Structures are given as structure tokens and as C-alpha cells.
Amino acid sequence: MDKAAMIYQVVAAIPKGKVCSYGEVAKRAGLSGYARYVGHTLKNLPSDSRLPWHRVVNSQGKISFAQGSDGFTRQQQALLGEGVLVIDGKVNMRRFAWHI
DNA sequence: GTGCTGACAAACG
DNA sequence: CCGTTTGCCAGCA
């Protein structure tokens, strides 16, 4: 199984309305320490991919894009659309963090 | 092969 | 809470 494929599986398994950190995704994919690789993989996603990449944030619960950037806005809107509260680019991990 | 970069993370101060 | 430092791994020039 390809590493990228493992990451896709984990990201695709994140329930709607929940979020997960890059490090967590990497761990659940059996790729401990590959947090940065997860970011690299999501960045390379084809535009026609239906992967819920917007449910992945950094360990601080913040969107890993510069505020005001295109990616930032799209991710924030996608999360808000699922009922995830995003304030100042930060997600309330207490309520929306995904854990098995 | 070497060195820098990046949608990261954890530990410090 | 914020900035810095160190550790990580893959991709690219």
C-alpha cells in the first residue's frame, strides 16, 4: 500500500463535523513522524479529489494557511459549512477533535 | 550527493 | 499566549 494511499484512507475516515491534526493523521496511517509529509500530500491533491482535506488542521487546531489566503478561506468556509466553529482561523479542538 | 523548503510537532523561555 | 529551537520526512534545484 502506498504511503499517500494510507493518508487518503485516514483523511477520508474523518467524520463530517470533526477535525484532526496532521500528526494524528500520520499516526493513524501508520506513518508516525510524517506530519509534514501529510501536508505535502494534501497540497498535491488533484482538484477533482473529494477528500475532506479541510478537516485536517495543525496540532494547535489552527488552519495551516495564512489568513486571507485562498486556501485559508476555502478551508474555513468548508468547516463552517459542516458546523465546525472556526474563530480567527482556530478550531475549538475540545469539541471538534476527532478521536477513535 | 548536498542543501533548502514546506498545508508539521513538541519542548522551552 | 507568542516566538524560537530542534527534530522530522519527502520533494526539488
Side-chain angles (χ1 to χ4, degrees):
Chain A
M1 187 62 92
D2 196 86
K3 295 189 194 109
M6 302 297 291
I7 293 173
Y8 293 149
Q9 280 194 339
V10 176
V11 175
I14 301 175
K16 185 174 129 187
K18 295 283 184 182
V19 297
C20 192
S21 73
Y22 292 90
E24 280 286 303
V25 171
K27 267 188 179 179
R28 296 195 190 295
L31 301 169
S32 190
Y34 283 61
R36 299 189 85 151
Y37 183 67
V38 172
H40 214 69
T41 302
L42 297 185
K43 181 180 186 177
N44 238 325
L45 278 178
S47 51
D48 61 348
S49 173
R50 282 146 187 66
L51 205 67
W53 56 270
H54 52 272
R55 292 175 193 155
V56 185
V57 295
N58 63 28
S59 65
Q60 308 166 69
K62 294 201 296 188
I63 292 175
S64 295
F65 280 110
Q67 281 190 334
S69 68
D70 185 61
F72 177 91
T73 304
R74 286 202 300 186
Q75 180 165 13
Q76 183 173 230
Q77 290 305 311
L79 290 174
L80 291 174
E82 294 185 347
V84 177
L85 192 58
V86 182
I87 299 174
D88 200 35
K90 291 176 289 193
V91 176
N92 185 329
M93 295 297 270
R94 292 278 203 216
R95 297 179 60 80
F96 303 109
W98 174 55
H99 56 92
I100 299 177

